Amino acid sequence: MLDANTHRWLYVIVSMLIFLKTDGYYVNITYVKNAVAKGAVCLDGSPPAYHLDRGSGAGINNWLIQLEGGGWCNNITSCLARRNNRLGSSKHMPPQLAFSGLLGHRGLFNPDFYNWNRVTIRYCDGSSFTGDVEAVDPATNLHYRGARVWRAVIEDLLENGMKNAENALLSGCSAGGLASILHCDSFRSLMPMGAKVKCLSDAGYFINVNDVSGQPHIYGYFDDVLNTHGSAKNLPASCTSHMNASMCFFPQYSAPQIKTPIFILNSAYDSWQIKNILAPGVDDPHGTWHDCKNDIKHCSPDQIQTMQGFRAEFLKALAGVGNSAQSGLFINSCYSHCQSEMQEYWLMPDSPVLDKIPIAKAVADWFYDRSPFQKIDCPYPCDSSCHNSIFGPQEQPQEHSEA
């Protein structure tokens, strides 16, 4: 007879073999060419784009909209740097995109959403789909039109069947996760009356906190993003009506006023936030945090204590959302960033869990009102189910470029 551990590992191996056979499920790109006439364009003036895999069976009138992540650009120089790659131009986007995790097409790995209409909206504006500046400088040909891109793509999807949606989930990872919060109520307003509409933010709950040198680095950065893109008028009015618009880019100030149910999936030690908000390179000139940011196991006791302080600030910033009964929370203690798009995080035998419940089940139970889910993990390093990220030299993106 095989013991329990052997059974478990056999299950893991078999599941991984099945996953490897199904991995690489690619979906073709669709360009919204009629959006150009509306000025709804990427940074370089090219048309916006999305990938749609049609639903089937019971999911034919259900829609999952995933907003792609990819950081932001906060000035002319950083926006010019994006203009000639996939984050600023649809001309440089691959013709196909792999779908997995919550976008997966197999019931075994995505039991509650696999047969929905599943969409990824490509990200090419650098403002979490909030910018709208009419003028275009002929010297740079930069178009700050993220809010127009958002509206044009949603209108195209409505014409292609989403106007009949019975269930709809707006989701996003990182900069896309922030966008899913900022556009949550407007998304619901565009859906049919009577549809169940909710939003999921994965690794998009960026907090306003000073860095290790005591500087408000991330506030200054996001303030530059908003000023560059003219984003203020496209942030939730429920927030901008009573505070500075730059503050409303942070979910801790804007999310509590949003009426549509939101699920926050985030690590309290989000690796992007640790690297770019808590210990950005510009305020760590001697590289004291370099090894720690690359692998949490290389952090000193003092650095871990500082990260515990960041966790405390994160949980405090989350309080406004967590106090709502309609909200969902899956806040674990993994050193990672984005946990819905990768199959190994979303639903596998060894996926991260809270109270033995994987992310896929927590989100689905909340969406379908089967049971509420608001769980916050114990502090690092208590969670043995974590898949902690380890970054090598080749994985060090330019600061703020990938989120």
Side-chain angles (χ1 to χ4, degrees), residues 129-147:
F129 300 94
T130 63
D132 193 355
V133 176
E134 183 65 34
V136 178
D137 185 346
T140 62
N141 196 40
L142 286 172
H143 297 71
Y144 302 112
R145 304 284 179 76

Side-chain angles (χ1 to χ4, degrees), residues 44 88 125 172 191 219 229 231 256 312 346 375 385:
D44 71 334
D125 66 273
M191 292 297 103
Y219 175 83
H229 291 267
S231 299
W346 181 246
K375 305 290 183 185
S385 74

Side-chain angles (χ1 to χ4, degrees), residues 93-128:
M93 294 174 185
Q96 294 183 317
L97 188 69
F99 276 20
S100 64
L102 87 167
L103 292 167
H105 72 301
R106 296 295 181 95
L108 178 63
F109 297 109
N110 190 25
D112 290 281
F113 304 106
Y114 77 97
N115 61 353
W116 285 31
N117 296 280
R118 287 157 292 107
V119 181
T120 290
I121 299 179
R122 300 308 300 266
Y123 181 42
C124 63
D125 66 273
S127 71
S128 286

Side-chain angles (χ1 to χ4, degrees), residues 333-378:
S333 295
C334 308
Y335 187 64
S336 60
H337 183 66
C338 289
Q339 301 180 82
S340 65
E341 295 178 337
M342 293 180 287
Q343 194 63 52
E344 58 267 34
Y345 288 92
W346 181 246
L347 184 61
M348 291 292 282
D350 62 342
S351 291
V353 294
L354 288 181
D355 286 353
K356 300 183 180 180
I357 297 177
I359 296 167
K361 178 171 171 51
V363 171
D365 285 350
W366 164 82
F367 181 87
Y368 283 110
D369 299 314
R370 294 193 291 242
S371 63
F373 195 93
Q374 291 192 353
K375 305 290 183 185
I376 297 176
D377 209 353
C378 48

